[in-house]
Amino acid sequence: MVTFPTLRPRRLRKNKLIRDLVAETNLTTSGLIQPIFIKENINEPEKIESMPGVYRYPPNDHLIKFIEEVYSSGVRNFILFGIPSFKDEFASSAYDKNGIIQKSLRLLRQTFGEKILLITDECTDEYTSHGHCGIITQKDGKLCVNNDESLKVHALIAVSQAEAGADIIAPSSMMDGVVGAIRKALDEAGFTDTAIMSYSVKYASTFYSPFREAAYSKPSFGDRRGYQMDPRNAFEALKEASLDIEEGADILMVKPAHTYLDVIRLVKDHFPEYPLAAYHVSGEYSMIKAAAINGWIDEKTAVLEITTAIKRAGADLIITYYANDIARWIKEGVPF
Ligand code: PBG
């Protein structure tokens, strides 16, 4: 005789209303952060070949128009990346009062006041002639990134970004002690209310390649494996996160996101009291985009499924080149 089950999980999947009623994870627009590339000495937006649909903006009406468009979708948070026309060994254009990011921050503050949240990526790789995330010195006859010399430059950049109006500074260099150095410098300069979102757990990932084309920040020699994390390690993430917490980080981050869901879960479980950001990076964006352009996947459903997975893994905030689209799609209703 056939016995029929009395426990039937399918009852709660009967239709969309009941699925929405019991959904454990819901994407929210308030947790989305839109990255923006801002480039010096151009007048029109420029296409980025490796990231279809993403542009480099000049700090003028074009940038304002783009932010207005994203704002009207509901996104309020932006992380800015600067592309300077001048580079040197010391990243001096990164802490210039009239640098690309400083100029843009003032323009956006003037235009939008407190209506938008402005986060700045704090690093040197876009500003150095060698493309590394710090200062290069010789050690045992070899060129290497000098950790403690680099801290001084990162502190200068952070303070100049805060001065120009950044709400949150996001150090992405993976130098040891960078969060502490920045916190101290910000406090001494009177920016005690400027928050730090640390790229705490940032892996040496091949999925940053499209970004490096977008921002012209590929290292001219060597790679970043001496400072970014080894993709084979998960528990080491806890060491990185706990050091950043001790040094004064307000928000933690795991990067990339889609390929490191286990790490997001691990960090969230260990430090649930800290807001956790996840960065869905350029390569993760471009892979979906390429498949969508070829008609191999449905872009909206794929993006919403992946972004929901990132949130389900434990991310509170998500940095994504799809932020504008996701916000519009949430309004239309998710297709689950
Ligand atoms: C460093 C920085 C990088 C990204 C964000 N901040 C590049 C790198 O570490 O090489 C990558 C972001 C992405 O791939 O979308 N300033």
Side-chain angles (χ1 to χ4, degrees):
M1 215 184 74
V2 183
T3 59
F4 293 102
T6 50
L7 291 173
R8 293 175 182 266
R10 286 188 54 186
R11 282 180 200 130
L12 299 182
R13 296 179 200 140
K14 191 175 80 169
N15 61 30
K16 175 142 175 75
L17 282 179
I18 205 159
R19 290 194 297 274
D20 284 349
L21 177 74
V22 301
E24 294 175 31
T25 310
N26 286 295
L27 290 176
T28 52
T29 302
S30 58
L32 296 174
I33 302 171
Q34 174 78 51
I36 306 187
F37 296 103
I38 312 175
K39 185 175 168 184
E40 215 165 10
N41 286 337
I42 56 171
N43 294 312
E44 298 288 323
E46 271 181 7
K47 274 189 180 163
I48 298 166
E49 293 300 324
S50 56
M51 301 177 73
V54 181
Y55 295 80
R56 302 181 194 94
Y57 290 92
N60 62 18
D61 286 354
H62 290 286
L63 173 65
I64 292 172
K65 240 182 75 195
F66 175 63
I67 292 188
E68 280 170 349
E69 183 201 321
V70 180
Y71 187 91
S72 71
S73 305
V75 177
R76 300 289 178 265
N77 318 307
F78 299 87
I79 181 163
L80 310 182
F81 294 91
I83 306 171
S85 37
F86 174 74
K87 303 189 187 209
D88 62 17
E89 272 182 70
F90 310 103
S92 61
S93 56
Y95 52 88
D96 180 343
K97 269 192 168 37
N98 288 314
I100 179 67
I101 282 298
Q102 290 78 358
K103 269 192 300 208
S104 304
L105 283 167
R106 288 195 294 269
L107 171 71
L108 297 179
R109 248 333 145 221
Q110 227 168 39
T111 313
F112 296 99
E114 300 291 313
K115 280 165 64 183
I116 56 173
L117 198 75
L118 293 168
I119 306 168
T120 47
D121 182 78
E122 186 286 301
C123 204
T124 59
D125 57 331
E126 295 101 334
Y127 302 88
T128 44
S129 40
H130 47 73
H132 276 286
C133 302
I135 299 303
I136 302 292
T137 52
Q138 288 253 8
K139 197 180 173 196
D140 308 325
K142 275 202 307 206
L143 293 176
C144 69
V145 178
N146 183 317
N147 194 85
D148 299 7
E149 282 304 310
S150 304
L151 296 184
K152 299 174 192 163
V153 176
H154 288 297
L156 287 175
I157 302 172
V159 170
S160 87
Q161 292 176 340
E163 245 162 25
D167 295 295
I168 302 179
I169 311 292
S172 64
S173 62
M174 288 299 280
M175 293 299 112
D176 290 334
V178 73
V179 172
I182 287 179
R183 184 71 273 161
K184 184 163 176 278
L186 287 172
D187 290 352
E188 282 171 4
F191 297 105
T192 49
D193 291 334
T194 306
I196 297 177
M197 174 168 79
S198 176
Y199 287 67
S200 314
V201 181
K202 178 175 177 180
Y203 285 90
S205 171
T206 192
F207 297 109
Y208 309 151
S209 314
F211 174 100
R212 290 179 191 165
E213 184 190 318
Y216 314 105
S217 60
K218 194 170 181 286
S220 60
F221 68 90
D223 55 37
R224 303 205 204 290
R225 295 194 191 278
Y227 41 103
Q228 299 181 345
M229 276 182 60
D230 188 322
R232 293 171 291 190
N233 297 350
F235 294 117
E236 193 189 4
L238 299 177
K239 192 199 283 178
E240 287 285 0
S242 59
L243 284 171
D244 283 5
I245 289 170
E246 269 171 43
E247 292 173 30
D250 301 285
I251 302 173
L252 307 174
M253 193 197 298
V254 172
K255 175 190 175 189
H258 187 183
T259 29
Y260 293 84
L261 296 176
D262 57 326
V263 180
I264 294 174
R265 169 51 56 204
L266 187 67
V267 173
K268 189 65 199 173
D269 282 349
H270 274 77
F271 305 106
E273 70 278 38
Y274 282 85
L276 180 61
Y279 198 145
H280 187 248
V281 300
S282 56
E284 295 176 311
Y285 167 90
S286 297
M287 286 194 296
I288 305 173
K289 202 64 171 182
I293 288 170
N294 279 288
W296 297 333
I297 51 161
D298 177 67
E299 187 175 30
K300 172 178 168 178
T301 313
V303 169
L304 290 174
E305 186 172 331
I306 289 167
T307 314
T308 301
I310 294 168
K311 183 140 195 208
R312 192 189 63 228
D316 304 294
L317 328 174
I318 301 173
I319 305 172
T320 165
Y321 300 95
Y322 274 115
N324 187 29
D325 298 297
I326 293 170
R328 282 190 290 107
W329 290 331
I330 290 175
K331 281 190 203 165
E332 287 173 14
V334 296
F336 304 126

Short mmCIF file of all heavy atoms in Angstrom, two decimals, residues 37 51 81 121-126 133 172-173 199 202 207-212 217 224 228 255 279-283 321, ligand 1:
data_model
loop_
_atom_site.label_atom_id
_atom_site.label_comp_id
_atom_site.label_asym_id
_atom_site.label_seq_id
_atom_site.Cartn_x
_atom_site.Cartn_y
_atom_site.Cartn_z
N PHE A 37 32.92 55.01 -11.81
CA PHE A 37 34.27 55.40 -12.25
C PHE A 37 34.22 56.85 -12.71
O PHE A 37 33.40 57.20 -13.57
CB PHE A 37 34.73 54.53 -13.43
CG PHE A 37 34.88 53.08 -13.08
CD1 PHE A 37 33.92 52.15 -13.46
CD2 PHE A 37 35.98 52.64 -12.35
CE1 PHE A 37 34.05 50.80 -13.14
CE2 PHE A 37 36.13 51.29 -12.03
CZ PHE A 37 35.16 50.37 -12.42
N MET A 51 33.44 45.75 -19.64
CA MET A 51 32.26 45.79 -18.76
C MET A 51 31.09 46.47 -19.50
O MET A 51 30.76 47.62 -19.22
CB MET A 51 32.57 46.57 -17.46
CG MET A 51 33.71 45.99 -16.65
SD MET A 51 34.08 46.99 -15.18
CE MET A 51 32.66 46.60 -14.14
N PHE A 81 35.38 55.65 -7.63
CA PHE A 81 36.74 55.28 -8.04
C PHE A 81 37.27 56.37 -8.96
O PHE A 81 36.60 56.71 -9.94
CB PHE A 81 36.73 53.93 -8.77
CG PHE A 81 36.34 52.79 -7.89
CD1 PHE A 81 35.02 52.39 -7.80
CD2 PHE A 81 37.29 52.11 -7.14
CE1 PHE A 81 34.64 51.34 -6.96
CE2 PHE A 81 36.94 51.07 -6.31
CZ PHE A 81 35.61 50.68 -6.22
N ASP A 121 36.65 54.68 -2.41
CA ASP A 121 37.66 53.63 -2.40
C ASP A 121 38.98 54.32 -2.06
O ASP A 121 39.34 55.32 -2.67
CB ASP A 121 37.74 52.98 -3.78
CG ASP A 121 38.75 51.85 -3.84
OD1 ASP A 121 38.42 50.76 -3.35
OD2 ASP A 121 39.86 52.06 -4.37
N GLU A 122 39.67 53.81 -1.03
CA GLU A 122 40.93 54.45 -0.64
C GLU A 122 42.07 53.51 -1.00
O GLU A 122 42.28 52.51 -0.32
CB GLU A 122 40.91 54.77 0.87
CG GLU A 122 42.12 55.57 1.34
CD GLU A 122 43.37 54.73 1.41
OE1 GLU A 122 43.38 53.73 2.16
OE2 GLU A 122 44.34 55.06 0.70
N CYS A 123 42.75 53.84 -2.11
CA CYS A 123 43.87 53.01 -2.53
C CYS A 123 44.81 53.83 -3.39
O CYS A 123 44.51 54.97 -3.74
CB CYS A 123 43.37 51.78 -3.29
SG CYS A 123 44.58 50.43 -3.21
N THR A 124 45.95 53.23 -3.75
CA THR A 124 46.91 53.98 -4.58
C THR A 124 47.02 53.42 -6.00
O THR A 124 47.60 54.08 -6.86
CB THR A 124 48.33 53.91 -3.96
OG1 THR A 124 48.71 52.54 -3.87
CG2 THR A 124 48.38 54.56 -2.59
N ASP A 125 46.48 52.23 -6.23
CA ASP A 125 46.80 51.56 -7.51
C ASP A 125 46.41 52.33 -8.76
O ASP A 125 47.08 52.26 -9.78
CB ASP A 125 46.25 50.13 -7.55
CG ASP A 125 44.75 50.06 -7.33
OD1 ASP A 125 44.21 50.94 -6.63
OD2 ASP A 125 44.11 49.14 -7.85
N GLU A 126 45.32 53.11 -8.69
CA GLU A 126 44.94 53.91 -9.87
C GLU A 126 45.84 55.14 -10.02
O GLU A 126 45.80 55.82 -11.03
CB GLU A 126 43.49 54.40 -9.75
CG GLU A 126 42.43 53.31 -9.78
CD GLU A 126 41.92 52.99 -8.38
OE1 GLU A 126 42.67 53.20 -7.40
OE2 GLU A 126 40.77 52.51 -8.26
N CYS A 133 49.29 48.81 -4.69
CA CYS A 133 48.43 49.39 -3.66
C CYS A 133 49.25 49.99 -2.51
O CYS A 133 48.81 50.00 -1.36
CB CYS A 133 47.46 48.34 -3.15
SG CYS A 133 46.43 47.67 -4.47
N SER A 172 41.16 49.76 0.50
CA SER A 172 41.15 48.49 -0.25
C SER A 172 42.55 47.95 -0.52
O SER A 172 42.72 47.05 -1.32
CB SER A 172 40.40 48.67 -1.57
OG SER A 172 41.07 49.58 -2.41
N SER A 173 43.57 48.49 0.19
CA SER A 173 44.95 48.14 -0.16
C SER A 173 45.42 46.81 0.42
O SER A 173 46.40 46.25 -0.05
CB SER A 173 45.89 49.23 0.34
OG SER A 173 45.81 49.32 1.76
N TYR A 199 37.90 46.90 3.35
CA TYR A 199 37.96 45.71 2.50
C TYR A 199 38.78 44.70 3.31
O TYR A 199 39.95 44.43 3.01
CB TYR A 199 38.72 46.00 1.21
CG TYR A 199 38.04 46.84 0.15
CD1 TYR A 199 37.75 48.19 0.34
CD2 TYR A 199 37.74 46.28 -1.11
CE1 TYR A 199 37.18 48.95 -0.68
CE2 TYR A 199 37.17 47.04 -2.12
CZ TYR A 199 36.90 48.37 -1.90
OH TYR A 199 36.34 49.12 -2.92
N LYS A 202 39.92 40.57 1.36
CA LYS A 202 40.00 40.79 -0.08
C LYS A 202 40.99 39.79 -0.67
O LYS A 202 42.17 39.76 -0.31
CB LYS A 202 40.47 42.22 -0.35
CG LYS A 202 40.64 42.54 -1.83
CD LYS A 202 40.98 44.00 -2.03
CE LYS A 202 41.22 44.32 -3.50
NZ LYS A 202 41.55 45.74 -3.69
N PHE A 207 39.14 37.76 -10.87
CA PHE A 207 37.89 38.41 -11.24
C PHE A 207 37.92 39.94 -11.15
O PHE A 207 36.91 40.59 -11.35
CB PHE A 207 36.72 37.82 -10.41
CG PHE A 207 36.52 36.37 -10.69
CD1 PHE A 207 36.85 35.40 -9.75
CD2 PHE A 207 36.03 35.95 -11.92
CE1 PHE A 207 36.69 34.05 -10.02
CE2 PHE A 207 35.87 34.60 -12.21
CZ PHE A 207 36.20 33.64 -11.24
N TYR A 208 39.09 40.50 -10.82
CA TYR A 208 39.23 41.96 -10.85
C TYR A 208 39.72 42.46 -12.22
O TYR A 208 39.87 43.66 -12.41
CB TYR A 208 40.23 42.48 -9.79
CG TYR A 208 40.00 42.00 -8.39
CD1 TYR A 208 41.07 41.86 -7.49
CD2 TYR A 208 38.72 41.69 -7.92
CE1 TYR A 208 40.87 41.43 -6.19
CE2 TYR A 208 38.53 41.24 -6.62
CZ TYR A 208 39.61 41.10 -5.77
OH TYR A 208 39.43 40.66 -4.49
N SER A 209 40.00 41.52 -13.15
CA SER A 209 40.63 41.94 -14.42
C SER A 209 39.86 43.02 -15.18
O SER A 209 40.47 43.99 -15.63
CB SER A 209 40.86 40.76 -15.34
OG SER A 209 41.41 39.71 -14.64
N PRO A 210 38.54 42.89 -15.34
CA PRO A 210 37.84 43.96 -16.08
C PRO A 210 37.97 45.32 -15.39
O PRO A 210 38.12 46.34 -16.06
CB PRO A 210 36.38 43.48 -16.10
CG PRO A 210 36.45 42.00 -15.90
CD PRO A 210 37.62 41.78 -15.00
N PHE A 211 37.96 45.33 -14.06
CA PHE A 211 38.15 46.58 -13.32
C PHE A 211 39.50 47.20 -13.64
O PHE A 211 39.62 48.42 -13.81
CB PHE A 211 38.05 46.31 -11.82
CG PHE A 211 38.37 47.50 -10.93
CD1 PHE A 211 37.34 48.25 -10.38
CD2 PHE A 211 39.68 47.84 -10.64
CE1 PHE A 211 37.63 49.34 -9.56
CE2 PHE A 211 39.97 48.93 -9.82
CZ PHE A 211 38.94 49.67 -9.28
N ARG A 212 40.52 46.36 -13.71
CA ARG A 212 41.87 46.91 -13.94
C ARG A 212 41.97 47.51 -15.33
O ARG A 212 42.73 48.44 -15.55
CB ARG A 212 42.93 45.83 -13.71
CG ARG A 212 43.01 45.50 -12.22
CD ARG A 212 44.01 44.42 -11.89
NE ARG A 212 43.84 43.99 -10.51
CZ ARG A 212 44.36 42.90 -10.00
NH1 ARG A 212 45.10 42.11 -10.75
NH2 ARG A 212 44.14 42.59 -8.73
N SER A 217 44.63 50.08 -13.85
CA SER A 217 45.36 49.89 -12.60
C SER A 217 46.06 48.54 -12.49
O SER A 217 46.33 48.05 -11.42
CB SER A 217 44.38 50.05 -11.42
OG SER A 217 43.35 49.09 -11.50
N ARG A 224 49.54 40.93 -6.95
CA ARG A 224 49.12 41.40 -5.63
C ARG A 224 49.07 40.28 -4.59
O ARG A 224 48.49 40.41 -3.54
CB ARG A 224 47.74 42.05 -5.73
CG ARG A 224 47.65 43.20 -6.72
CD ARG A 224 46.54 44.14 -6.32
NE ARG A 224 45.98 44.92 -7.40
CZ ARG A 224 46.59 45.91 -8.05
NH1 ARG A 224 47.83 46.24 -7.75
NH2 ARG A 224 45.98 46.58 -9.01
N GLN A 228 47.18 40.64 -1.02
CA GLN A 228 45.78 40.19 -1.01
C GLN A 228 45.73 38.71 -0.60
O GLN A 228 46.72 38.00 -0.72
CB GLN A 228 45.15 40.40 -2.38
CG GLN A 228 45.13 41.89 -2.78
CD GLN A 228 44.49 42.15 -4.13
OE1 GLN A 228 44.28 41.23 -4.93
NE2 GLN A 228 44.20 43.41 -4.41
N LYS A 255 35.37 40.18 -0.44
CA LYS A 255 35.46 40.48 -1.86
C LYS A 255 36.37 39.49 -2.54
O LYS A 255 37.46 39.24 -2.01
CB LYS A 255 36.03 41.90 -2.01
CG LYS A 255 36.31 42.35 -3.43
CD LYS A 255 37.07 43.64 -3.43
CE LYS A 255 37.43 43.95 -4.86
NZ LYS A 255 38.34 45.06 -4.97
N TYR A 279 31.34 42.47 -2.09
CA TYR A 279 31.58 43.17 -3.36
C TYR A 279 31.46 42.17 -4.51
O TYR A 279 32.30 41.30 -4.67
CB TYR A 279 32.97 43.80 -3.33
CG TYR A 279 33.22 44.89 -4.37
CD1 TYR A 279 34.02 45.99 -4.05
CD2 TYR A 279 32.68 44.84 -5.64
CE1 TYR A 279 34.28 47.00 -4.98
CE2 TYR A 279 32.91 45.84 -6.57
CZ TYR A 279 33.71 46.91 -6.24
OH TYR A 279 33.96 47.90 -7.17
N HIS A 280 30.36 42.30 -5.26
CA HIS A 280 30.18 41.53 -6.49
C HIS A 280 31.03 42.25 -7.54
O HIS A 280 30.67 43.31 -8.02
CB HIS A 280 28.69 41.53 -6.86
CG HIS A 280 28.35 40.63 -8.00
ND1 HIS A 280 27.92 41.11 -9.21
CD2 HIS A 280 28.35 39.28 -8.10
CE1 HIS A 280 27.69 40.09 -10.02
NE2 HIS A 280 27.94 38.96 -9.37
N VAL A 281 32.19 41.65 -7.85
CA VAL A 281 33.22 42.42 -8.57
C VAL A 281 33.05 42.40 -10.08
O VAL A 281 32.19 41.70 -10.63
CB VAL A 281 34.65 41.94 -8.19
CG1 VAL A 281 34.89 42.11 -6.70
CG2 VAL A 281 34.88 40.49 -8.64
N SER A 282 33.94 43.16 -10.72
CA SER A 282 33.84 43.38 -12.17
C SER A 282 33.76 42.08 -12.98
O SER A 282 32.92 41.96 -13.86
CB SER A 282 35.02 44.23 -12.63
OG SER A 282 36.25 43.62 -12.27
N GLY A 283 34.62 41.11 -12.66
CA GLY A 283 34.62 39.87 -13.44
C GLY A 283 33.33 39.09 -13.24
O GLY A 283 32.83 38.43 -14.16
N TYR A 321 27.77 46.40 -9.68
CA TYR A 321 27.58 47.22 -10.88
C TYR A 321 26.15 47.09 -11.39
O TYR A 321 25.73 47.85 -12.26
CB TYR A 321 28.59 46.79 -11.96
CG TYR A 321 30.02 46.97 -11.47
CD1 TYR A 321 30.73 45.90 -10.89
CD2 TYR A 321 30.63 48.22 -11.49
CE1 TYR A 321 32.01 46.08 -10.38
CE2 TYR A 321 31.91 48.40 -10.99
CZ TYR A 321 32.59 47.33 -10.43
OH TYR A 321 33.84 47.52 -9.89
C1 PBG B 1 41.77 48.68 -5.57
C2 PBG B 1 40.51 48.02 -5.98
C3 PBG B 1 40.33 47.01 -6.94
C4 PBG B 1 38.97 46.74 -6.98
C5 PBG B 1 38.35 47.57 -6.06
N1 PBG B 1 39.32 48.33 -5.44
C6 PBG B 1 41.31 46.40 -7.86
C7 PBG B 1 42.36 45.50 -7.37
O1 PBG B 1 42.50 45.19 -6.20
O2 PBG B 1 43.12 45.10 -8.25
C8 PBG B 1 38.32 45.72 -7.86
C9 PBG B 1 36.85 45.86 -8.04
C10 PBG B 1 36.27 45.05 -9.13
O3 PBG B 1 36.91 44.16 -9.74
O4 PBG B 1 35.10 45.29 -9.44
N2 PBG B 1 41.70 50.07 -5.69
#
